[in-house]
Amino acid sequence: KAGVTQTPRYLIKTRGQQVTLSCSPISGHRSVSWYQQTPGQGLQFLFEYFSETQRNKGNFPGRFSGRQFSNSRSEMNVSTLELGDSALYLCASSLEGLAGDETQYFGPGTRLLVL
Amino acid sequence: AQSVSQHNHHVILSEAASLELGCNYSYGGTVNLFWYVQYPGQHLQLLLKYFSGDPLVKGIKGFEAEFIKSKFSFNLRKPSVQWSDTAEYFCAVNSNYQLIWGAGTKLIIKP
């Protein structure tokens, strides 16, 4: 079974631009979560999508948004990029989300550099 | 809000030494606990998890962790480390259907 895939793997943008990252979950997984990983703040939860609906959201500004398609693929968008948005963005999938004994499986991440 | 503390940010050990990495979470109730590992250049992988039952959990590659409810702890252990265990280790707690993460411990094993 193929793992979680994320595209692109690396991205360079300038301040003020917007960016869209893509995540394809493991086949059959309906929950996709997004995390931001930075050296200063560590791993922080952004949001979770399940069956095309945002089910849970972390403490990030509205510039961070996402969506999920009917095939469970998910995208996250960051508008008006700031230098502090430079990070590794991780996507994780699971069958039903973090309820009960679910385990999340992570993709390799997209490394975003904002100049 | 739930928080997770990992006591050591950097640990350096020689091969064959024993390992214990600390993890504490801030409040109780029913918790699901995880240890993930990130090897250099690789993505996060699950080492082990605790949901219920036996508080001593065994994971991959000879790792184990003990859940001690009274101490809000979930420490990771390995009796004899190898050079290939060099990685960053993260403890996480499932709180309100999201993973709350510790800051991570960078483990370096000297050959």
Side-chain angles (χ1 to χ4, degrees):
Chain A
K1 208 183 237 188
V4 178
T5 58
Q6 292 187 245
T7 56
R9 293 292 310 278
Y10 303 92
L11 207 46
I12 299 175
K13 291 284 187 180
T14 56
R15 276 183 300 175
Q17 287 186 308
Q18 74 160 14
V19 67
T20 299
L21 312 180
S22 180
C23 170
S24 292
I26 291 170
S27 177
H29 285 191
R30 296 195 292 166
S31 167
V32 173
S33 294
W34 288 90
Y35 296 86
Q36 183 195 64
Q37 186 178 19
T38 60
Q41 299 295 319
L43 276 150
Q44 296 184 87
F45 172 77
L46 280 155
F47 29 66
E48 184 215 5
Y49 285 86
F50 180 80
S51 291
E52 302 179 65
T53 301
Q54 188 182 87
R55 192 161 66 171
N56 207 352
K57 190 177 189 315
N59 190 26
F60 277 81
R63 299 186 297 107
F64 292 82
S65 63
R67 58 178 175 166
Q68 187 180 33
F69 302 95
S70 58
N71 62 358
S72 295
R73 190 177 71 84
S74 177
E75 289 180 348
M76 70 161 276
N77 185 76
V78 188
S79 62
T80 320
L81 283 165
E82 300 177 0
L83 295 179
D85 297 333
S86 294
L88 182 66
Y89 290 89
L90 294 169
C91 165
S93 77
S94 62
L95 282 168
E96 300 285 332
L98 285 170
D101 62 352
E102 283 280 308
T103 296
Q104 291 192 320
Y105 297 88
F106 284 81
T110 294
R111 189 165 293 282
L112 171 65
L113 178 60
V114 181
L115 301 175
Chain B
Q2 181 73 269
S3 64
V4 178
S5 296
Q6 290 184 241
H7 310 143
N8 308 98
H9 293 300
H10 293 88
V11 172
I12 301 173
L13 294 172
S14 298
E15 274 194 313
S18 65
L19 170 72
E20 180 160 2
L21 301 182
C23 172
N24 287 89
Y25 56 98
S26 58
Y27 63 83
T30 302
V31 287
N32 296 335
L33 297 154
F34 304 82
W35 276 97
Y36 279 86
V37 61
Q38 194 169 33
Y39 296 104
Q42 296 187 29
H43 56 273
L44 278 166
Q45 300 173 43
L46 180 69
L47 264 182
L48 47 78
K49 60 187 179 184
Y50 172 80
F51 292 127
S52 63
D54 189 343
L56 185 61
V57 180
K58 294 195 185 300
I60 62 171
K61 303 188 180 188
F63 286 91
E64 64 179 32
E66 186 175 12
F67 170 55
I68 303 180
K69 191 173 181 178
S70 60
K71 294 185 178 179
F72 300 97
S73 72
F74 189 56
N75 291 353
L76 181 72
R77 300 195 292 246
K78 186 170 183 178
S80 176
V81 294
Q82 301 171 303
W83 177 78
S84 58
D85 294 324
T86 293
E88 189 160 15
Y89 293 80
F90 295 90
C91 179
V93 174
N94 179 354
S95 175
N96 293 326
Y97 306 108
Q98 58 179 275
L99 286 182
I100 307 299
W101 298 84
T105 297
K106 284 190 170 70
L107 174 65
I108 296 172
I109 306 299
K110 298 184 293 184

